[in-house]
Amino acid sequence: MEPVTAADVDAAHARIRGHVRRTPVLAIDPTDLGLADGPAMQAKLDVLQPTGSFKARGAVSLLTAWDVPDAGVVAASGGNFGLAIAWAARRLGHRATIVVPATSPAEKIDPIRALGAEVVVVDGYYAAAAQEARRRVAEGGALLAHAYDQPPVVAGQGTATRELLEEVGVDTVLVACGGGGLLAGAVAAADDRARIVAVETTGTPTLHAALAAGEPVDVEVSGVAASALGAARIGEHAWAIRGSLATTLLVEDADVTDAQARLWRAARIVAEPAGAVALAALTSGCYVPAPDERVGILVCGANTDPGSVVRPSTT
Amino acid sequence: MEPVTAADVDAAHARIRGHVRRTPVLAIDPTDLGLADGPAMQAKLDVLQPTGSFKARGAVSLLTAWDVPDAGVVAASGGNFGLAIAWAARRLGHRATIVVPATSPAEKIDPIRALGAEVVVVDGYYAAAAQEARRRVAEGGALLAHAYDQPPVVAGQGTATRELLEEVGVDTVLVACGGGGLLAGAVAAADDRARIVAVETTGTPTLHAALAAGEPVDVEVSGVAASALGAARIGEHAWAIRGSLATTLLVEDADVTDAQARLWRAARIVAEPAGAVALAALTSGCYVPAPDERVGILVCGANTDPGSVVRPSTT
């Protein structure tokens, strides 16, 4: 497997410009988050991306890098990636088929359908959806889109970190990790110009489990971030860059919901749990920056009931 | 009354820097808002300001322009301005007394108290609170802070428009109007470099009522924006700049809640009703830009239950 490079991220950035947003970076004083005084935290607000998450980057990057046949693109995802592929396909004039497990709630599926994608519901969980997606690709010649392990997807996700580093000087970037596409992209984009720290929840520890086992292994995921960081195992691309990470951290679900609430109070930004995982490493005290360390954070998704950031979610 | 000038806005901008945030400007395609294709709308996201609204600008501007006696600052407001004065006073090391009418809900008062301000609750409505604030100022020598009619407050609010125009080229800026501090500041900041359009709701038409009467008159306010745009009459500063406005528009409450929902869907931004009034002029079709017209919009407050932007509020 060829690793994704900074040049790949640059090329992805040129392709997706004009389709996705260059999202703003907001400086937030640590004291506004209830932390000790220090340099402002630089929050890259990819929550403001079309479809509400960074996945729009990877989706457009993929569909502009690889040929999309007349049969279109097929993805297995009842979440942010499925929504992003449906959106990108419509924008670029391609057919899209999104295979979702029957366990996906209607509020996740309806927006995908509203974007004109064909939604195929299959019994069972994500694995069943993934199998059906592969079957359809094999049968019909469509392009298979993978949420975190295709080079153009990883390079596309890397553009978030690229833009952050282009805009502000930071020493360290905290990045949430599920399948690891955003993380592998961040390492490629940083290209040793900033330290990259991976953050997982204790319920979705694909990278930690792989590091413990010495190789990617399946994990039973659970908890508040499971719907968005719920890859069963770390991707090949993220596994390949493990040696380039400054460190890998675990946060608890309660740290994540606390980070969501603090972010709302400090700056009226809504983040879904997975979108606040990186911030949670800071607000929970799990990651303690050095006195002068400038920290960047990818706030990477907002696809939740916005009311849930100020009161406990019922789900 | 001396009108506030662009130079006053420049001076306010220099004073408030380092205290309030330079909020980002986000380009949003009209199609993402369900509108016909055209130039991107430039949304100035003052929802991300400390205390959740542009009022933080005017509050810091006032407390850095005028001498604050040991007795501190007094303001009558159970809403965004009271919160902003409490926040600015704490930040700048002053005492703050916020007089609120007994009709103010606890969720508005508690955050003011949490910032260390003394909260005085008086029976009756806003007029009673304003009277008690003046009484305290006369008795104790504190500085009276007025939500929209003191020159440093108007100049401070103008910095939002100043930053917008500095950052992007726009032909027109849509601005919500209640007491008119943000509006008068926008006219001063634009200084004929952009057309300024005032937008009110049918339930809070202080400017329209004044224009109809030929002078500022009291209005009985109601509707979704009343808590934040609920000044009973247009301020002297806003009245003075009426001749510089490109036009003045009225939107319905339903247009406002629709704009809130569209903004969430398009960019995962939470705006309170008053914060979405300017946008509502565009999304309702009340304001139709020329084909090449570049429109800027002040999205100026987010102090609402964030869940209310996706489902009808119960209040």
Side-chain angles (χ1 to χ4, degrees):
Chain A
M1 192 200 67
E2 284 293 306
V4 172
T5 66
D8 295 330
V9 177
D10 289 346
H13 198 248
R15 290 196 308 274
I16 70 178
R17 194 179 297 165
H19 294 293
V20 303
R21 298 183 182 133
R22 185 183 177 98
T23 55
V25 177
L26 188 73
I28 303 178
D29 286 341
T31 54
D32 289 338
L33 292 160
L35 302 173
D37 207 1
M41 181 201 84
Q42 303 290 344
K44 174 71 170 169
L45 302 183
D46 245 31
V47 287
L48 305 181
Q49 208 55 267
T51 72
S53 88
F54 72 95
K55 298 278 187 183
R57 297 176 182 272
V60 173
S61 175
L62 175 68
L63 300 186
T64 53
W66 288 357
D67 284 337
V68 182
D70 289 345
V73 56
V74 177
S77 164
N80 290 345
F81 187 66
L83 187 64
I85 286 288
W87 175 84
R90 186 178 73 162
R91 181 159 182 118
L92 298 166
H94 300 301
R95 292 177 56 193
T97 305
I98 312 297
V99 187
V100 305
T103 46
S104 301
E107 65 259 35
K108 294 277 184 187
I109 297 177
D110 291 345
I112 295 174
R113 206 170 264 137
L115 286 165
E118 182 187 357
V119 173
V120 176
V121 182
V122 297
D123 282 336
Y125 294 91
Y126 176 76
Q131 190 180 7
E132 173 63 15
R134 285 191 301 270
R135 195 191 64 74
R136 287 179 167 252
V137 165
E139 244 181 19
L143 172 66
L144 183 70
H146 191 281
Y148 51 83
D149 238 353
Q150 289 168 324
V153 171
V154 171
Q157 317 307 30
T159 60
T161 299
R162 182 189 189 279
E163 290 174 2
L164 174 66
L165 296 178
E166 194 175 82
E167 200 152 327
V168 293
V170 294
D171 303 303
T172 306
V173 184
L174 306 186
V175 185
C177 176
L182 187 63
L183 181 69
V187 166
D191 202 17
D192 294 327
R193 289 179 300 156
R195 303 163 69 242
I196 304 294
V197 171
V199 188
E200 301 181 286
T201 70
T202 51
T204 57
T206 55
L207 180 54
H208 278 79
L211 291 170
E215 62 179 337
V217 290
D218 277 358
V219 169
E220 199 154 326
V221 298
S222 64
V224 294
S227 70
L229 298 179
R233 87 166 47 196
I234 192 77
E236 292 292 335
H237 281 272
W239 180 243
I241 55 81
R242 65 192 180 279
S244 300
L245 298 171
T247 185
T248 63
L249 305 171
L250 281 180
V251 294
E252 303 286 341
D253 278 3
D255 300 331
V256 173
T257 50
D258 176 64
Q260 291 178 281
R262 288 185 195 228
L263 188 59
W264 171 257
R265 283 199 302 270
R268 302 295 185 271
I269 297 161
V270 172
E272 67 187 277
V277 161
L279 176 65
L282 198 68
T283 51
S284 68
C286 176
Y287 186 78
V288 181
D292 294 330
E293 185 178 346
R294 299 161 304 167
V295 175
I297 293 192
L298 304 186
V299 185
C300 56
N303 288 326
T304 187
D305 170 4
S308 66
V309 302
V310 288
R311 44 169 185 270
S313 171
T314 52
T315 55
Chain B
M1 192 201 67
E2 284 293 306
V4 171
T5 66
D8 295 331
V9 177
D10 289 346
H13 198 246
R15 290 197 309 276
I16 70 177
R17 195 178 298 166
H19 294 293
V20 303
R21 297 184 183 131
R22 185 183 178 97
T23 54
V25 178
L26 187 71
I28 303 179
D29 287 339
T31 53
D32 289 337
L33 291 161
L35 302 173
D37 207 2
M41 179 202 84
Q42 302 289 344
K44 174 70 170 167
L45 302 183
D46 246 30
V47 288
L48 305 181
Q49 208 53 272
T51 74
S53 88
F54 72 95
K55 298 276 186 182
R57 298 178 181 271
V60 172
S61 175
L62 175 69
L63 299 186
T64 54
W66 287 358
D67 283 339
V68 182
D70 289 346
V73 56
V74 177
S77 163
N80 290 345
F81 187 66
L83 188 64
I85 286 288
W87 175 84
R90 185 177 76 162
R91 180 158 183 121
L92 297 165
H94 301 301
R95 291 176 56 194
T97 304
I98 311 297
V99 187
V100 305
T103 45
S104 300
E107 65 258 33
K108 295 276 183 187
I109 297 176
D110 291 345
I112 294 173
R113 207 170 262 137
L115 286 165
E118 182 189 355
V119 173
V120 177
V121 181
V122 297
D123 282 337
Y125 293 90
Y126 176 76
Q131 191 180 5
E132 172 64 14
R134 284 192 301 271
R135 197 191 64 75
R136 288 180 166 249
V137 165
E139 243 182 19
L143 172 66
L144 183 70
H146 190 282
Y148 51 83
D149 236 356
Q150 288 168 324
V153 171
V154 172
Q157 316 309 29
T159 61
T161 299
R162 182 189 190 279
E163 291 175 1
L164 173 67
L165 296 179
E166 194 175 83
E167 199 153 327
V168 292
V170 295
D171 303 302
T172 306
V173 184
L174 306 186
V175 184
C177 176
L182 187 63
L183 182 68
V187 167
D191 202 17
D192 294 327
R193 289 180 299 155
R195 303 164 69 243
I196 304 295
V197 172
V199 189
E200 301 182 286
T201 70
T202 51
T204 57
T206 55
L207 179 56
H208 279 79
L211 291 170
E215 62 179 337
V217 290
D218 277 0
V219 168
E220 199 153 328
V221 298
S222 63
V224 296
S227 71
L229 297 180
R233 88 166 48 196
I234 191 77
E236 292 293 335
H237 280 273
W239 180 243
I241 55 79
R242 65 191 179 281
S244 301
L245 297 172
T247 186
T248 63
L249 305 172
L250 281 180
V251 295
E252 304 284 342
D253 278 4
D255 300 332
V256 174
T257 49
D258 176 64
Q260 290 178 280
R262 287 186 196 227
L263 188 58
W264 171 257
R265 284 199 301 270
R268 301 297 185 270
I269 296 161
V270 172
E272 67 187 278
V277 161
L279 176 65
L282 197 68
T283 51
S284 68
C286 177
Y287 187 78
V288 181
D292 293 331
E293 186 179 345
R294 299 160 305 167
V295 176
I297 294 192
L298 304 187
V299 185
C300 57
N303 287 328
T304 187
D305 170 3
S308 67
V309 302
V310 289
R311 42 167 187 272
S313 171
T314 52
T315 56

